[in-house]
Amino acid sequence: MYILRKYLIEQHRLKQACGYAYIDGDVIWDERTTVIYPAICGVAGIFAGMFGIGGGIIKQPLMLEMNILPEVAVATSCTMIFFTTGAATVSYLTFGLLTLDYGVPFFVVGFLATIGGNNIMRLVLSKLNRKSFILFAVAGIIALSTFLMTIASIRATLTGKAHISLCSSTAE
């Protein structure tokens, strides 16, 4: 970690010395950002592991804060989510915790919704020609997810079913 930080700071100093012109979306790795961003990513990883959510959802706002272009932040986040959910799905399948009767339809619906959402977003962005719509869409999805997870948790706690796995066919 220290070696990478030192390398990034040195690259930043070299770019400043030669008058490098940063473009939109470039991350400026200085003394502050080489500490703050990795620390936030570490905390995001801890929360992702504790709550079972994809780190991409947590890191996307961080990437936007780093001045990464919204399209790049969304694509990077989706890639992270793809690999984490893929690994989780394989784990659940390996241990027999995923009922295929539920898994296959959810996969198909999720896949089709992704294609549909991507096409709708592309259409809206071409008509509005504003990248800020991506930010509002991401914020809305995160807010809706947080709200629905909270409702589901409260409901499970009140009914005494907070110990049941949503993916297991052997749940009591």
Side-chain angles (χ1 to χ4, degrees):
M1 180 73 179
Y2 174 75
I3 295 170
L4 181 59
R5 179 177 187 266
K6 189 174 177 180
Y7 172 78
L8 290 171
I9 291 171
E10 183 60 31
Q11 289 297 310
H12 174 67
R13 286 189 183 133
L14 288 172
K15 288 178 180 180
Q16 280 185 322
C18 69
Y20 179 82
Y22 288 96
I23 61 171
D24 283 343
D26 276 350
V27 178
I28 300 172
W29 292 106
D30 56 17
E31 287 81 4
R32 179 183 171 276
T33 57
T34 55
V35 172
I36 298 292
Y37 295 153
I40 293 173
C41 286
V43 172
I46 291 170
F47 281 115
M50 284 176 29
F51 299 116
I53 55 176
I57 293 172
I58 298 172
K59 289 183 186 174
Q60 190 170 15
L62 172 65
M63 288 185 280
L64 295 172
E65 172 64 26
M66 294 168 65
N67 292 324
I68 293 176
L69 296 173
E71 307 93 272
V72 175
V74 169
T76 303
S77 174
C78 288
T79 301
M80 285 189 267
I81 292 169
F82 173 76
F83 284 108
T84 55
T85 56
T89 301
V90 169
S91 295
Y92 281 116
L93 283 172
T94 302
F95 292 110
L97 297 173
L98 180 64
T99 306
L100 290 179
D101 295 348
Y102 293 115
V104 172
F106 276 111
F107 172 79
V108 171
V109 169
F111 184 76
L112 294 175
T114 300
I115 292 172
N118 191 16
N119 289 333
I120 290 170
M121 183 65 78
R122 190 175 295 139
L123 179 69
V124 168
L125 289 175
S126 68
K127 296 237 186 245
L128 296 178
N129 200 23
R130 293 186 56 102
K131 294 179 184 178
S132 61
F133 190 76
I134 296 173
L135 303 177
F136 291 123
V138 168
I141 290 169
I142 291 173
L144 181 63
S145 298
T146 303
F147 175 74
L148 292 175
M149 285 178 65
T150 303
I151 296 298
S153 297
I154 291 171
R155 194 168 152 205
T157 302
L158 292 177
T159 60
K161 297 181 180 180
H163 66 283
I164 294 177
S165 172
L166 299 176
C167 297
S168 176
S169 60
T170 60
E172 300 170 13

